[in-house]
Amino acid sequence: MNSLNGVMVVGLTGQTGAGKSTVSRLFAESGFCVIDADQIARAVVHKGSRCLLELTECFSDILLPNGELNRKALAKQAFQNKKNLELMNSIMYPYIMGEILRQIHHHSRMGQKLILLDAPTLFESRADDFCELIISVTARAELRKARILQRDSITEEAAQARMDAQLPEQFFVEHSDFIIKNNKDCRNLEVVSEEVIAKIKEYYIRRYQVPS
């Protein structure tokens, strides 16, 4: 990201239910500007959007009576099988990527130097191409499932389908600069995250020759 006046984009991803949102919050509190890909994904399918229109052409009965997206109906169809999930992603990713790039350039113009791209599907969408460093948050499967059930109020089968749709843990390990394992309590997650934040800030100072 040298072309963006010393801006460094750090990618944050990981397994669903692993605790990525907590890590993202800690980065924001430490001074990183956070781009939330989940929020962007919700925004690009607003009522009347081109993205929503394309989805309705490929998936049936996914609109609410007021014309807005029925997210549960879309998710139910998308996670039925790999083909459906790939189809949904192929429609949404170009719109999401375009908005991510727009936000990166906007924050760069505003003088932000440290940007965290919080993206659950960082690798699948190729958004990792935008990132200089990548952090993945992982946790044991039984812990993740319990957290998903508590967070999303869905069935155990639906939670397992979401977990199965993701990349395996080994992929995250092999393609990340930092791995944060969240198998203990919240305090441990905070301590480990703060250590990673400190290392990344040190890297940034060395990489861009920022005076200490």
Side-chain angles (χ1 to χ4, degrees), residues 40-207:
I40 292 174
R42 289 190 286 271
V44 299
V45 291
H46 64 82
K47 181 179 178 180
S49 67
R50 177 65 190 172
C51 183
L52 182 56
L53 176 60
E54 290 185 27
L55 286 170
T56 61
E57 292 172 349
C58 297
F59 296 94
S60 60
D61 301 320
I62 60 168
L63 292 182
L64 295 168
N66 64 0
E68 294 181 355
L69 175 64
N70 184 331
R71 299 180 190 281
K72 288 187 176 180
L74 176 60
K76 184 177 180 179
Q77 293 182 53
F79 286 102
Q80 277 182 346
N81 55 63
K82 186 177 180 180
K83 182 179 178 181
N84 280 3
L85 184 60
E86 289 176 347
L87 176 59
M88 181 188 73
N89 289 339
S90 71
I91 294 170
M92 295 185 64
Y93 282 162
Y95 294 98
I96 295 170
M97 292 305 100
E99 179 59 18
I100 287 173
L101 277 174
R102 188 196 69 78
Q103 290 195 21
I104 289 173
H105 284 278
H106 169 74
H107 293 308
S108 174
R109 289 193 300 270
M110 297 299 291
Q112 297 286 349
K113 299 299 183 184
L114 295 171
I115 295 175
L116 184 78
L117 174 54
D118 180 345
T121 56
L122 185 80
F123 295 113
E124 297 91 331
S125 64
R126 299 299 300 273
D128 57 310
D129 289 345
F130 306 153
C131 305
E132 189 161 335
L133 296 173
I134 294 172
I135 308 158
S136 289
V137 187
T138 64
R140 293 196 303 271
E142 65 272 18
L143 289 175
R144 292 191 288 119
K145 182 180 286 187
R147 291 166 183 162
I148 294 168
L149 291 173
Q150 183 178 27
R151 180 191 68 195
D152 297 339
S153 300
I154 58 177
T155 65
E156 193 166 337
E157 292 76 14
Q160 188 63 51
R162 294 186 183 185
M163 293 169 64
D164 292 342
Q166 286 199 304
L167 296 164
E169 182 173 352
Q170 190 59 32
F171 183 94
F172 290 107
V173 172
E174 293 174 355
H175 293 82
S176 302
D177 299 284
F178 297 94
I179 295 291
I180 297 177
K181 294 185 178 181
N182 183 21
N183 293 321
K184 298 181 181 179
D185 57 21
C186 290
R187 180 55 190 156
N188 178 261
L189 178 60
E190 290 176 359
V191 169
V192 175
S193 298
E194 286 165 0
E195 290 174 354
V196 171
I197 290 168
K199 289 178 181 178
I200 290 175
K201 286 186 173 181
E202 289 173 7
Y203 170 88
Y204 176 80
I205 290 171
R206 294 195 308 270
R207 175 76 170 81

